[in-house]
């Protein structure tokens, strides 16, 4: 009976490890784009997974675990910004770290990486924090606009405005980079 | 709808193209405005632009894992560190009782602090008002301390005793019981105290005066 319990515990731990490995990079990416620095993104990513395992019973549909984890990550990152007094998404300059950062891709992605992907990254990085957050949640994470508004704590009209501005700026930057080729 | 009625030409004009924000919202399906949808479906120019926005939007979808780290960071190291910390965190969380896992902000938020502050204020006020009576004032009715003086002769009294003194000498009548004593100054400059014995009901009046040298104690 004891060995069965141990085996079950090991299985559960392995399942957790697999789940973390499969989602770690994506979750880190979401948080990193929201908070804009590696150290905080690292802490918050860890917090997200620990929180998710603690609240696993809240997950109704295991098939949506990845999506649910994305929401936990988004809320964790935004809570962090709120605690730091950046809840208002006040006018912030585009993150220069992103613009000056050296391109980094995981090995398998490097093969597929193209000039286009680099440009998309550059455009995304050039947006202001609130525009980038809105666009990441809506277009990258595919959250409904209403939910983005809820997560950001603003009205649907405001979030639509953020999303529209972000897309317009994003497209203009992309066209500029394409033209400079 | 009002603006449509006021200026139907502007709203239904197929030549007026949609602005960039409208095109961007149309591409993501965030608008329910029938005019935008109608124009977007009939105008080739706007339809093409909406398609461009859609294409960019689709190219962003699912790109969470594609990010660039600043110089000096290595993803492999970060990943290993995070995996280790998550394992450790999950282990700790599984053996730590739930109340201890709460963060300070969860159990000691501003409401808790206000409640504790208010309670402390009430207790302190109550203690201040009812507490150090021995130092502030007697619990007995009447005056706490009275004194009358003429030359070097001084009459004084308090709830426990009254009498007179001159230079180094003096005489005082002390109360034999710790019961209520009232001390009062008379219009003629005398002092008068009255005590009621709680057990016998006996009233003791003590009066001293500067003028005619009368002093004494009566019991009724």
């Amino acid at each position: 009976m004891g060995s069965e319990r141990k085996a079950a515990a090991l299985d559960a731990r392995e399942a957790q490890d697999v789940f973390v490995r499969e989602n770690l990079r994506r979750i880190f990416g979401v948080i990193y784009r929201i908070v804009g620095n590696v150290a905080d993104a690292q802490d918050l990513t860890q917090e997200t997974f620990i929180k998710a395992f603690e609240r696993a019973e809240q997950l109704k549909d295991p098939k949506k675990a990845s999506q649910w984890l994305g929401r936990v990550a988004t809320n964790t990152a935004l809570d962090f910004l709120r605690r730091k007094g950046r809840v208002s998404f006040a006018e912030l300059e585009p993150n220069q770290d992103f613009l000056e950062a050296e391109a980094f891709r995981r090995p398998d992605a490097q093969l597929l990486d193209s000039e286009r992907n680099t440009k998309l990254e550059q455009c995304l990085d050039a947006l202001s924090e609130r525009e980038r957050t809105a666009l990441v949640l809506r277009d990258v994470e595919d959250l409904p606009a209403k939910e983005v508004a809820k997560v950001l704590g603003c009205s649907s009209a405001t979030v639509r405005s953020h999303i529209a501005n972000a897309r317009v700026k994003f497209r203009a930057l992309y066209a500029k980079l394409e033209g400079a080729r | 709808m009002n603006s449509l009625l006021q200026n139907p030409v502007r709203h239904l004009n197929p030549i007026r193209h949609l602005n960039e924000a409208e095109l961007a919202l149309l591409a993501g399906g965030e608008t329910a405005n029938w005019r935008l949808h109608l124009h977007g479906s009939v105008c080739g120019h706007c339809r093409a632009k909406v398609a461009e926005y859609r294409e960019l939007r689709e190219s962003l979808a699912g790109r969470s894992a594609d990010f660039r780290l600043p110089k000096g960071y290595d993803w492999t190291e970060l990943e290993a560190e995070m995996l280790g910390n998550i394992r450790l965190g999950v282990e700790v969380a599984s053996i730590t009782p739930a109340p201890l896992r709460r963060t300070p902000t969860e159990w000691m938020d501003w409401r808790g602090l206000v409640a504790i502050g208010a309670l402390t204020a009430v207790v302190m006020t109550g203690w201040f008002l009812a507490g150090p009576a021995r130092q502030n004032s007697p619990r007995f009715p009447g005056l706490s301390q009275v004194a009358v003086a003429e030359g070097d002769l001084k009459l004084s009294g308090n709830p426990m005793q009254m009498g007179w003194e001159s230079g180094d000498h003096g005489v005082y009548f002390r109360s034999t019981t710790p019961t209520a004593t009232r001390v009062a100054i008379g219009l003629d400059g005398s002092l008068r105290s009255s005590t009621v014995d709680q057990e016998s009901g006996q009233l003791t009046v003590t009066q001293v005066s500067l003028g005619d040298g009368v002093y004494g104690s009566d019991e009724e």
Side-chain angles (χ1 to χ4, degrees), chain A residues 130-142:
Chain A
R130 66 175 174 181
E131 289 167 346
R132 188 171 57 248
T133 305
L135 201 67
V136 165
L137 296 179
R138 178 73 186 112
D139 288 355
V140 180
E141 284 294 294
D142 201 27

Side-chain angles (χ1 to χ4, degrees), chain B residues 123-193:
Chain B
V123 170
M124 290 298 288
T125 307
W127 178 82
F128 181 77
L129 292 175
R134 274 173 248 109
Q135 291 172 12
N136 283 354
S137 60
R139 297 293 180 89
F140 308 117
L143 301 170
S144 60
Q145 178 82 33
V146 292
V148 180
E150 186 176 354
D152 63 344
L153 187 65
K154 178 185 166 192
L155 300 183
S156 66
N158 62 40
M160 301 309 294
Q161 63 179 21
M162 67 181 297
W164 68 89
E165 60 185 72
S166 175
D168 298 334
H169 306 286
V171 176
Y172 278 91
F173 295 94
R174 287 182 182 276
S175 172
T176 53
T177 58
T179 52
T181 302
R182 179 174 290 278
V183 184
I185 305 172
L187 291 171
D188 54 355
S190 64
L191 291 184
R192 178 188 167 91
S193 78

Side-chain angles (χ1 to χ4, degrees), chain B residues 71-88:
Chain B
K71 285 176 188 171
Y73 284 101
D74 177 30
W75 172 250
T76 316
E77 278 176 22
L78 277 179
E79 186 180 38
E81 204 176 315
M82 283 192 280
L83 282 171
N85 287 339
I86 290 166
R87 268 189 215 123
L88 186 68

Side-chain angles (χ1 to χ4, degrees), chain A residues 27 30-32 34-35 40-55 68-84 89 133 137 151-152, chain B residues 103:
Chain A
I27 294 304
V30 172
I31 295 173
Y32 180 41
I34 295 173
V35 300
D40 288 336
Q42 191 179 355
D43 288 345
L44 295 169
T45 302
Q46 291 162 188
E47 192 183 322
T48 298
F49 279 99
I50 294 165
K51 213 186 274 180
F53 289 133
E54 278 186 301
R55 298 173 185 176
W68 173 72
L69 186 66
R71 286 176 200 186
V72 175
T74 307
N75 285 327
T76 304
L78 291 169
D79 282 347
F80 168 79
L81 293 183
R82 282 186 195 108
R83 286 201 302 271
K84 288 191 82 178
F89 288 89
T133 305
L137 296 179
V151 168
L152 295 183
Chain B
T103 59

